[in-house]
Amino acid sequence: MNESAFKTLLTSSPEHPPVLFHQRMESTLAEIVRQEENEMKESTKQALKKGSIWGSRTLAIALLITLLLGSVALAAGLGLFQQLSQMPQEDKRLPALDQVSTPLNQSAATDAGVTVTIRQAYYDGQRIFVSYKLEGERVAVEKGEGIPQVKEWAFQQEGMLYGRDYDSAMEGDEEIAAWLDGTSPRWARRTATAPHDGLSLSDGTWLDIISGNAYQQEDGSEIGWKECLVPQDKQADTLEVNLMLFTGATTYYQDEQGMKWAYERVGENVLIPFTVKKDSITKALTGQADAGKWQAKADVCLSPVDIRGEIVVSCPKEWADALVDWKENDVNPIADWQLYDGDTRVEGHNLRGGYRKQSENQLAYSICFQYGSDTKHLKLVPVYLDGTADPAHAIRLEVPTITYQRRK
Amino acid sequence: MQMERLMYHVSHAYLQNPADCADAVQEALMKAWQKRHTLRDEGQFGPWLIRILKNQCKDMLKKRRRESLFPLEEDSALQPGPEPLHPVMEAVERLPAEQRLLILLHYKEGYSLQEMSHALHLPAGTIKSRMRSARKALSRTLLIEWEETI
């Protein structure tokens, strides 16, 4: 083993401040602040009695508290997930992800000098979340006169003019449109490097993306995050994962007749391997409800980031007709679910609201709520198509009980 | 690296148990608060806090050793064993606390010699010699080819 392999192994090990450590640090600092407030109140009383001033001592203490709290605020608040959470309309789960994810800083670069760094990763047993940063010249535009060499044109349209009738909504469009003005045969090529949508396991299994976003920064870099699903038969305590960086070139040709474009991959994909370890805090919860007309069974996963899973409802055939096949009938099927903690509804809507027909008499509903608290009183309340909630037939979520059978 | 991660690494290097690390950081913060008048230079706040934390961890280790001489009665056979570690982590965990901390700070967190010297309030020479000893110990089990930047 060389020093670099040793470093990689150490970096990928999941040794990071656990939630317990962070919480204890925060609660201790909160206690210190409370003590300081009490002391200040007392000092004020004494000062008023004695007519003295306590300014300088308080100033020194305030500085110390700022230093202490600043340390925690930095630790808790400057990860990339946290930075991404400050983007408008971003996913509300990102601050929690910042707390529980493992810092990685695994990098790789393309031959053209584009570097991708995986900054944080989190694996709850079913999904992998990563935050990453892309640096270097990610998009390059080349231009030329005449007809370019391409393997095969993927698209061609007579009478179409780039910039007037067509744009790709990608970086460099303005420059390309200014060049391809249709006055003479010209071409432009945009070469772009980007991470693949999903992730892959070391055995090649593809992990589909569920959600994510990417943003260009003022310094030209790009930051982003992804949430990818691990197939059930591949879920394990530790996974070797790859983020894949690929480069592609789109060549546009414009002449007086019209426009054409061709696309081809450039060079080899660059893999950035990293290891994730399952978070042991994540819990599987199940529950059932029977309303007579319908019966439901929920299988969900409660992680520090969210609560998500599926509810399978056995119901009249007409429900699927109305919801999935858009047939008009008089039924009032379950259309969505709300999360309750005890008798209080948890704020926020179902992030993955949706349903699919599992069979003629079964509908499967996806649920995902931003909720990281551990509680024993979680309930899923059905909401019918007409908007009414039905707390009387809620599904109570519990840790599944395992029954052991004595061997004969 | 942020203060919280540094405090975690320091406490974990000595105590190797998340619950004890949380206890140690709580005690250290409260002690720092009680001794705040002894901090003369705010620029030295980090190294000062780390010194308090290291002392706290050492106290807890001493207490742990005393207790292990008079163990409480419990059926250790019923306790679940610790999760098996990767051989590399296992070798690192076997290092003495001071060496383990330097290896983690340098290779895992990317600390330079100067940064470790400032954060831990240790002379550069001490860090170099501890790093040499740590590499030597690791080489016995892991056969690593070191580049020895520090």
Side-chain angles (χ1 to χ4, degrees):
Chain A
M1 183 194 301
N2 61 23
E3 191 167 328
S4 149
F6 173 72
K7 193 177 167 187
T8 308
L9 273 163
L10 273 193
T11 316
S12 61
S13 69
E15 192 182 324
H16 60 101
V19 176
L20 169 73
F21 186 86
H22 180 73
Q23 284 171 345
R24 192 75 73 82
M25 196 156 171
E26 275 202 328
S27 63
T28 311
L29 290 178
E31 172 61 19
I32 289 173
V33 172
R34 198 186 58 74
Q35 283 187 16
E36 171 59 9
E37 281 171 358
N38 289 342
E39 272 186 41
M40 278 174 69
K41 278 181 203 159
E42 194 53 39
S43 302
T44 313
K45 276 187 215 161
Q46 296 297 327
L48 285 171
K49 274 184 199 165
K50 293 177 189 171
S52 60
I53 301 166
W54 41 268
S56 60
R57 178 184 160 271
T58 308
L59 210 68
I61 294 164
L63 180 63
L64 179 64
I65 294 175
T66 312
L67 282 164
L68 279 164
L69 286 175
S71 310
V72 169
L74 275 173
L78 282 189
L80 190 51
F81 278 125
Q82 181 71 25
Q83 198 182 327
L84 285 157
S85 75
Q86 286 155 16
M87 301 295 178
Q89 307 293 319
E90 246 309 348
D91 197 303
K92 299 233 175 334
R93 298 170 300 165
L94 296 187
L97 268 169
D98 203 69
Q99 297 286 326
V100 294
S101 58
T102 306
L104 288 176
N105 284 327
Q106 303 272 105
S107 289
T110 63
D111 292 341
V114 179
T115 307
V116 65
T117 307
I118 301 175
R119 299 281 286 270
Q120 295 156 298
Y122 176 68
Y123 171 43
D124 73 349
Q126 295 182 349
R127 294 160 301 162
I128 296 171
F129 296 83
V130 286
S131 67
Y132 64 89
K133 186 171 187 176
L134 215 57
E135 291 164 292
E137 202 178 335
R138 293 173 291 111
V139 178
V141 175
E142 293 170 80
K143 292 171 288 197
E145 302 270 2
I147 303 171
Q149 289 288 318
V150 295
K151 279 184 189 161
E152 190 185 4
W153 292 109
F155 172 88
Q156 44 192 317
Q157 182 71 54
E158 280 190 20
M160 184 178 270
L161 180 65
Y162 197 102
R164 186 193 67 194
D165 309 316
Y166 180 92
D167 72 57
S168 65
M170 282 178 73
E171 217 179 319
D173 267 342
E174 278 183 35
E175 188 184 349
I176 295 172
W179 176 247
L180 302 180
D181 59 4
T183 55
S184 62
R186 284 178 173 179
W187 60 268
R189 181 176 294 128
R190 180 197 292 108
T191 307
T193 303
H196 250 295
D197 269 356
L199 297 167
S200 64
L201 296 180
S202 53
D203 68 357
T205 306
W206 192 250
L207 311 183
D208 285 331
I209 189 164
I210 308 174
S211 57
N213 256 324
Y215 302 90
Q216 188 167 341
Q217 302 283 91
E218 277 180 16
D219 63 2
S221 64
E222 181 185 296
I223 54 173
W225 69 280
K226 294 174 187 300
E227 174 187 8
C228 297
L229 194 63
V230 181
Q232 207 166 5
D233 60 335
K234 298 288 176 182
Q235 292 168 6
D237 286 348
T238 304
L239 291 175
E240 306 291 330
V241 194
N242 292 304
L243 176 75
M244 194 190 286
L245 201 60
F246 74 98
T247 303
T250 312
T251 307
Y252 303 94
Y253 171 72
Q254 179 81 57
D255 59 15
E256 295 89 338
Q257 309 300 315
M259 197 198 100
K260 299 176 182 181
W261 64 258
Y263 177 82
E264 56 195 319
R265 284 290 178 87
V266 178
E268 297 285 312
N269 292 333
V270 174
L271 295 180
I272 306 94
F274 60 101
T275 307
V276 287
K277 195 166 181 187
K278 184 179 163 183
D279 187 337
S280 56
I281 303 169
T282 300
K283 269 185 200 167
L285 301 174
T286 59
Q288 295 183 31
D290 189 343
K293 195 175 184 182
W294 56 264
Q295 294 78 41
K297 185 175 181 300
D299 283 297
V300 302
C301 178
L302 175 66
S303 79
V305 177
D306 58 21
I307 177 164
R308 69 178 287 279
E310 198 170 63
I311 305 166
V312 176
V313 178
S314 301
C315 55
K317 180 183 169 297
E318 289 75 23
W319 282 25
D321 291 344
L323 284 179
V324 184
D325 301 328
W326 296 93
K327 286 184 188 166
E328 282 196 23
N329 53 31
D330 292 335
V331 294
N332 188 21
I334 296 171
D336 202 2
W337 296 82
Q338 294 171 345
L339 181 67
Y340 276 67
D341 186 353
D343 293 324
T344 312
R345 187 182 162 194
V346 173
E347 272 184 46
H349 62 282
N350 182 359
L351 299 167
R352 295 260 184 288
Y355 34 75
R356 63 186 167 82
K357 191 170 164 180
Q358 188 148 296
S359 69
E360 283 290 290
N361 295 87
Q362 275 189 329
L363 287 167
Y365 297 78
S366 298
I367 60 138
C368 179
F369 294 92
Q370 178 224 339
Y371 195 68
S373 307
D374 195 0
T375 170
K376 289 177 181 163
H377 309 287
L378 286 177
K379 286 189 290 192
L380 288 164
V381 170
V383 181
Y384 296 105
L385 195 58
D386 66 4
T388 52
D390 184 5
H393 295 112
I395 301 174
R396 285 173 198 283
L397 296 171
E398 289 167 345
V399 176
T401 49
I402 302 164
T403 49
Y404 295 97
Q405 282 189 334
R406 191 183 286 268
R407 275 190 198 168
K408 287 179 183 173
Chain B
M1 182 170 59
Q2 293 106 14
M3 197 65 183
E4 184 182 4
R5 280 183 70 77
L6 178 59
M7 293 182 87
Y8 178 71
H9 276 303
V10 169
S11 55
H12 197 261
Y14 284 91
L15 303 167
Q16 294 175 290
N17 171 330
D20 287 351
C21 290
D23 289 346
V25 79
Q26 180 178 342
E27 283 299 313
L29 285 173
M30 290 313 286
K31 278 183 183 163
W33 172 243
Q34 283 149 12
K35 292 180 178 181
R36 58 194 181 272
H37 57 277
T38 64
L39 174 68
R40 294 204 173 86
D41 174 7
E42 275 87 19
Q44 289 298 310
F45 171 74
W48 175 74
L49 187 56
I50 293 298
R51 266 205 310 282
I52 295 173
L53 178 62
K54 278 168 78 172
N55 288 336
Q56 178 60 37
C57 293
K58 286 175 186 170
D59 285 349
M60 286 173 69
L61 274 180
K62 276 184 210 159
K63 197 174 166 219
R64 207 191 266 177
R65 279 183 203 126
R66 275 201 304 272
E67 281 170 357
S68 69
L69 292 174
F70 307 100
L72 293 171
E73 275 182 32
E74 62 182 41
D75 190 350
S76 59
L78 293 174
Q79 303 297 315
E83 208 177 314
L85 287 172
H86 186 283
V88 166
M89 282 314 295
E90 204 176 295
V92 172
E93 297 281 299
R94 277 204 300 266
L95 292 172
E98 276 92 358
Q99 292 178 16
R100 183 164 57 238
L101 178 59
L102 296 182
I103 289 286
L104 288 173
L105 289 185
H106 180 57
Y107 289 107
K108 190 178 169 78
E109 302 292 348
Y111 264 49
S112 68
L113 174 66
Q114 285 76 19
E115 286 168 332
M116 288 196 283
S117 174
H118 175 74
L120 305 174
H121 204 71
L122 285 173
T126 308
I127 293 178
K128 279 184 183 178
S129 72
R130 283 184 189 171
M131 286 289 279
R132 264 199 303 275
S133 310
R135 287 194 187 107
K136 213 169 162 181
L138 289 171
S139 296
R140 268 179 236 130
T141 42
L142 299 173
L143 303 170
I144 302 171
E145 297 155 23
W146 301 105
E147 287 159 20
E148 305 227 6
T149 45
I150 291 180

